[in-house]
Amino acid sequence: PTFEYEMIRRRIMRDIQEVWYFITANMNELKSKPNTNPSAVSIIKKVLLLGFEYKRTLANNIEKLTEVDGFNDWRNNEITDLSNIVQTRLHYLQNPLNCENARKLVCTISYGCGFGCQMHHLISCMILAYGMQRTLLLESTGWQYHRGGWNQVFMPLSKNCTTISKGSIDNWPGTNNSKIIRIFPFTYILPRSQYLPLAVPEDLFVRLKTIHGNPTVWWIGQLLKYIWKPNNLTTNYINGKTKKLDMKSPIVGVHIRRTDKIINEAKYIAIEEYMKKVDEYYSLIEIKSNVTKRRVYIATDDFNVITEAKAKYPHYEIFYNENIPKIPETNPIHSNDNILDVILDIHVLVNSNFLVCTFSSNIGRLAYALKQINYVDASTKCVSLDGVYVYIQQNPNQCKTILNHKAQTTDEIDLVFGDIINITQYTLDGYSLGTNTCGFGCQMHHLISYMILAYGMQRTLILQSTG
Ligand code: GDP
């Protein structure tokens, strides 16, 4: 398929979702206004109900198009090839012929945050090591989640190069000549590196952009694929527990983060909001398959969520990890949690047919990135209830404007084709928060465009420039 075909196909899928967000957000706002009269409220309800039917038919048709357009073999081969390239490169870097001489980056995960956050820090280290063509060494003894370190839970990151060789160690960023660079766990890596997300390897960019709706998440998924290799002990634990759970497909994975997270870092979101998304997913797949039972696996750090879900959703088959602490953990690092249970929960979320979570949580984002490993493009196999995928260490998320837009309210900004916008948040109501980065040169070009239009239309151009 051509690059344009794949881009347009995915853009339609995304726009169906965005239009629906836009309609629902505005309709719900109107519905909740005290002076909206009851007959208008009943029309709004109808629009939301039937509008959803239109939305799911449209979404189903575009999915069908993807199945019958004849490109699926190409998609499978292409994504396998790209994955093989990345995995081979990582293997090469992590297993140097001569470990003693290899240039290295040393990273620690004993970091003052939870497991998901530590995994993201490790991924940042891998990205930097890959960019600088260094072997990554992991220091993990005394790790909060397992005093014995990483290898007690996962496979080592290298077969032959796991210890720091003799020689001086420079602190990040070091220089080209530094044999070993150590990177301490910073909340924000400074100085910044061009290799950090949303960047992806340059030589794979065009291929990735053609095949995948979110190349950055795919790339992070590939780095995770390399490190996320449970050792025998962990694998046996996961297999034993999943066998006992005996979950059938389809199943939706739901991650509900509560306890310390909702004190300062994230909003409390009621279970009904999560289940609404679960129901939407099932309504969508019920167009083409017969679902006899709606199932969910709820991963959470708060057992009350399970009790509430069971009481409110008796018609659902609800699965969960029986080891969720009955008295919630109050320590934000959650270092008393059993790492095997955290990994088990993530494993089930990743392998579910659809994921409902919050991207404010590292666990939600981790599961989403890991999900990419199992599919050609799993960028639409998940919904976050609180915003867009962000990577803690990411550089600005820049988007190019494809249509002109004149601000309709003071909350909106003018956009001109080609403007570069720094996006800070997608608000799931059809809007995004961002700033227009158009600098002086760009503004001059806008002015020239207006002059061209005025000239062509034989009009006098009046320039408004106060402020
Ligand atoms: P964040 O705080 O949600 O961004 O994610 P972190 O991974 O950084 O920290 C949250 C910690 O809470 C995790 O490391 C776990 O110990 C615990 N936790 C959160 N959600 C779950 C869950 O669904 N299952 C289990 N077993 N533990 C969880």
Side-chain angles (χ1 to χ4, degrees):
T2 60
F3 173 69
E4 282 76 17
Y5 171 75
E6 286 294 77
M7 290 290 281
I8 291 167
R9 182 180 63 78
R10 278 198 306 268
R11 194 169 281 164
I12 295 172
M13 286 168 103
R14 209 181 45 222
D15 286 351
I16 292 172
Q17 188 60 53
E18 281 299 319
V19 167
W20 187 238
Y21 281 149
F22 181 72
I23 293 172
T24 43
N26 283 287
M27 288 292 157
N28 283 329
E29 191 187 333
L30 195 59
K31 197 170 69 173
S32 62
K33 285 211 157 93
N35 52 357
T36 306
N37 76 44
S39 63
V41 170
S42 79
I43 294 174
I44 292 169
K45 283 186 179 158
K46 191 171 76 184
V47 168
L48 289 174
L49 198 73
L50 297 183
F52 179 71
E53 290 304 307
Y54 275 119
K55 185 238 165 183
R56 75 172 183 149
T57 316
L58 262 171
N60 185 50
N61 282 338
I62 187 80
E63 248 192 70
K64 264 198 206 146
L65 185 75
T66 313
E67 282 158 25
V68 299
D69 64 9
F71 296 129
N72 266 346
D73 283 348
W74 173 84
R75 289 189 190 106
N76 285 323
N77 293 338
E78 178 71 352
I79 210 74
T80 308
D81 194 38
L82 284 163
S83 174
N84 288 343
I85 292 173
V86 171
Q87 296 306 312
T88 309
R89 288 179 185 175
L90 292 171
H91 181 82
Y92 172 81
L93 269 181
Q94 285 308 109
N95 298 281
L97 286 177
N98 184 335
C99 174
E100 181 71 25
N101 289 345
R103 293 173 353 122
K104 303 183 180 77
L105 182 75
V106 181
C107 178
T108 172
I109 46 167
S110 296
Y111 185 27
C113 66
F115 173 72
C117 162
Q118 293 180 355
M119 287 302 98
H120 283 121
H121 177 65
L122 178 54
I123 292 298
S124 299
C125 293
M126 288 204 71
I127 289 172
L128 297 174
Y130 178 93
M132 300 189 301
Q133 295 284 289
R134 289 173 179 268
T135 302
L136 178 71
L137 294 189
L138 181 61
E139 285 186 326
S140 64
T141 36
W143 183 26
Q144 298 102 316
Y145 283 98
H146 200 305
R147 295 285 155 202
W150 176 263
N151 298 352
Q152 304 298 315
V153 183
F154 291 102
M155 306 287 274
L157 299 189
S158 167
K159 290 195 171 86
N160 67 340
C161 200
T162 49
T163 47
I164 304 176
S165 42
K166 286 183 221 83
S168 62
I169 303 179
D170 295 335
N171 284 337
W172 170 262
T175 67
N176 249 349
N177 297 327
S178 307
K179 179 121 182 272
I180 308 173
I181 298 175
R182 183 190 293 278
I183 181 148
F184 288 104
F186 303 117
T187 10
Y188 194 64
I189 293 174
L190 285 172
R192 303 297 296 158
S193 160
Q194 58 171 344
Y195 301 126
L196 289 167
L198 307 171
V200 297
E202 194 174 3
D203 64 324
L204 305 179
F205 177 65
V206 174
R207 289 176 72 184
L208 270 178
K209 203 165 174 247
T210 308
I211 189 99
H212 202 276
N214 193 334
T216 303
V217 182
W218 181 87
W219 164 233
I220 292 168
Q222 285 302 306
L223 295 158
L224 281 166
K225 182 175 177 176
Y226 192 83
I227 62 167
W228 192 269
K229 291 176 182 144
N231 67 11
N232 283 344
L233 209 83
T234 310
T235 306
N236 289 342
Y237 188 81
I238 294 174
N239 290 347
K241 290 284 181 184
T242 45
K243 194 166 168 209
K244 204 166 148 208
L245 283 164
D246 192 25
M247 292 173 291
K248 306 257 176 333
S249 180
I251 186 156
V252 176
V254 183
H255 180 236
I256 305 186
R257 180 76 164 93
R258 292 274 165 86
T259 69
D260 61 291
K261 190 78 181 181
I262 52 171
I263 299 173
N264 287 323
E265 285 184 35
K267 251 186 0 205
Y268 167 90
I269 298 176
I271 190 159
E272 285 78 2
E273 298 301 313
Y274 291 88
M275 294 306 283
K276 231 186 258 170
K277 296 293 172 195
V278 174
D279 278 326
E280 274 182 23
Y281 169 78
Y282 278 115
S283 312
L284 190 66
I285 64 164
E286 277 164 1
I287 294 185
K288 51 187 178 186
S289 54
N290 179 24
V291 178
T292 49
K293 191 84 195 166
R294 293 190 174 191
R295 295 182 199 93
V296 282
Y297 180 91
I298 302 184
T300 180
D301 52 338
D302 183 353
F303 195 83
N304 294 322
V305 168
I306 304 295
T307 317
E308 189 183 348
K310 280 183 173 172
K312 288 185 173 162
Y313 298 90
H315 51 296
Y316 262 87
E317 202 172 345
I318 299 174
F319 296 88
Y320 58 93
N321 184 337
E322 61 193 3
N323 294 343
I324 304 165
K326 302 291 179 297
I327 301 162
E329 170 78 88
T330 48
N331 161 12
I333 301 170
H334 285 255
S335 46
N336 294 329
D337 288 359
N338 179 352
I339 186 63
L340 295 182
D341 284 314
V342 184
I343 293 172
L344 169 69
D345 278 346
I346 295 171
H347 170 87
V348 181
L349 292 175
V350 169
N351 289 291
S352 59
N353 300 81
F354 190 72
L355 174 62
V356 180
C357 64
T358 45
F359 280 160
S360 59
S361 169
N362 279 282
I363 300 284
R365 295 199 305 279
L366 189 63
Y368 177 54
L370 278 163
K371 209 166 180 45
Q372 308 306 317
I373 301 170
N374 299 343
Y375 297 88
V376 170
D377 181 356
S379 61
T380 53
K381 297 216 176 288
C382 168
V383 63
S384 153
L385 295 181
D386 66 356
V388 65
Y389 180 90
V390 281
Y391 189 80
I392 310 175
Q393 295 289 355
Q394 82 180 32
N395 287 322
N397 175 8
Q398 298 197 313
C399 294
K400 201 183 244 179
T401 311
I402 55 167
L403 286 175
N404 295 340
H405 174 76
K406 187 94 195 88
Q408 303 294 309
T409 65
T410 47
D411 292 339
E412 297 182 4
I413 54 174
D414 287 345
L415 302 172
V416 175
F417 178 88
D419 281 353
I420 303 291
I421 313 296
N422 275 354
I423 303 283
T424 51
Q425 207 185 338
Y426 297 97
T427 45
L428 304 185
D429 55 2
Y431 285 88
S432 305
L433 295 183
T435 43
N436 197 332
T437 62
C438 184
F440 179 72
C442 157
Q443 292 172 7
M444 286 304 102
H445 285 112
H446 276 315
L447 184 52
I448 296 299
S449 304
Y450 293 135
M451 286 200 72
I452 291 170
L453 293 177
Y455 181 91
M457 296 156 69
Q458 293 286 289
R459 286 171 180 266
T460 305
L461 180 71
I462 296 175
L463 180 63
Q464 287 187 331
S465 62
T466 41

